[in-house]
Amino acid sequence: MSIISVEGECELARAEKVIVYRNDADGYIDTKEGHEKVDSLTVELAAGMCVLDGVSNENSVEVLRQWITIKTQVSATADHKEITEQLDAALKSGGKVDAQRICKKLKAAAVTDRFAAMELCMLAVSAFDTCTASQRQTLKQIGFFLSIDDDKFLAMSQKILPLGTHDEVDIEFVLGVNEKMTADEIRSLLNEEYRKWNGRVTHADATMQTQAGQMLDLIADVRAKFVEACV
């Protein structure tokens, strides 16, 4: 800053000050690179769910390829080639991915991104003829690693992997009931699930009606075994 003489336009005084300003917010490049990393990590994680007993399921792989295509069409930051290469690399490894490592990186992403990663993993499994015990266990681990809320995980699993898609009844996976719960806790959960599924018995979608009937039957069985038996 300078003070100038009116008459002679001479500089009478001058002062300088250096101000250091740091902006921690992501710029365009940072945001773009961040989204690309999240998309690649999501696909790498889900690729592990496309392989069962060392063999990749083409239907499951196609689910991921379609996801990549849609993602790159609606997002200016997604790179189709880069993400596809990530998928191919994961599949070449026989689906052997370090889920915990990937999830640790994804935990820094937005909640919606973590939900999207969990959802894609379930969609990959839904392309198989049946959902096996090992797949359910892996999905549970991924949900834990990503810090997905139990209620959110249950809602997603019931929607994407309904009861009829499993090789056996897993009440923890499809109902949220586990052995650590007390009879009162199980009763409360079952009452909540009953209200939800009873309201869907008359759903316009026949598939939803069938699922609702199956869930109500299961709820009755679990209630008889874990609640009424304790009275």
Side-chain angles (χ1 to χ4, degrees), residues 72-163:
T72 53
Q73 286 176 343
V74 301
S75 174
T77 63
D79 187 319
H80 188 282
K81 181 180 179 182
E82 180 179 332
I83 302 174
T84 300
E85 288 176 349
Q86 185 68 58
L87 170 61
D88 293 337
L91 293 174
K92 284 182 180 179
S93 70
K96 296 179 180 179
V97 299
D98 187 342
Q100 188 169 10
R101 173 188 63 81
I102 298 171
C103 290
K104 185 176 181 180
K105 293 182 178 180
L106 283 173
K107 283 188 71 173
V111 174
T112 52
D113 289 327
R114 288 189 279 116
F115 284 167
M118 187 75 257
E119 182 180 56
L120 186 59
C121 288
M122 289 188 181
L123 287 171
V125 173
S126 72
F128 284 77
D129 292 333
T130 57
C131 177
T132 67
S134 63
Q135 289 173 320
R136 288 191 294 273
Q137 181 60 32
T138 301
L139 289 173
K140 291 176 187 176
Q141 290 176 342
I142 290 174
F144 175 77
F145 292 150
L146 289 176
S147 297
I148 303 296
D149 179 81
D150 289 344
D151 291 339
K152 182 64 177 178
F153 182 91
L154 182 62
M156 292 173 67
S157 65
Q158 289 178 342
K159 178 181 178 180
I160 301 172
L161 294 165
L163 182 59

Side-chain angles (χ1 to χ4, degrees), residues 158-170:
Q158 289 178 342
K159 178 181 178 180
I160 301 172
L161 294 165
L163 182 59
T165 63
H166 298 269
D167 60 350
E168 60 183 18
V169 177
D170 183 333

